[in-house]
Amino acid sequence: LFNMKKLILGAFLIFGVLGFSRYVEECEVTDVSYGYARCRSLETGKTFTFTSGYYDDLSEDSVYTVYFSGNGYNNLYLYDFEFLY
């Protein structure tokens, strides 16, 4: 019974952490300025605005896979990215 509780608790923690993590496979950077960066998903056309994290390292007009956290499309935290082209 105790091991079952640990298993269930562990599953909730794992799925909870993964639930806050988001990514966009192909995101074209449209603007990098002081305090924010924006990219547009090539799949959906939605625009994402990053206001914290590693957005300073993005280059305008380049396409990346971006990994971020946050709700909605604004004030997002960019924690990783991969240059595509």
Side-chain angles (χ1 to χ4, degrees):
L1 184 63
F2 183 69
N3 285 336
M4 183 61 81
K5 286 182 183 179
K6 278 185 172 179
L7 180 65
I8 292 171
L9 179 61
F12 280 127
L13 289 174
I14 289 172
F15 290 120
V17 168
L18 294 177
F20 292 111
S21 177
R22 300 164 57 188
Y23 74 98
V24 177
E25 286 214 19
E26 290 185 306
C27 205
E28 180 180 12
V29 177
T30 59
D31 190 14
V32 178
S33 297
Y34 178 76
Y36 70 91
R38 286 193 181 105
C39 75
R40 182 180 54 83
S41 169
L42 297 182
E43 183 178 343
T44 65
K46 296 193 183 297
T47 299
F48 298 85
T49 303
F50 306 103
T51 55
S52 58
Y54 300 105
Y55 64 86
D56 287 338
D57 296 330
L58 299 175
S59 298
E60 288 184 25
D61 301 321
S62 296
V63 177
Y64 299 86
T65 298
V66 293
Y67 302 91
F68 58 95
S69 60
N71 295 320
Y73 301 100
N74 297 312
N75 299 321
L76 302 171
Y77 177 81
L78 178 66
Y79 63 83
D80 198 12
F81 60 88
E82 179 181 339
F83 176 78
L84 297 177
Y85 54 93

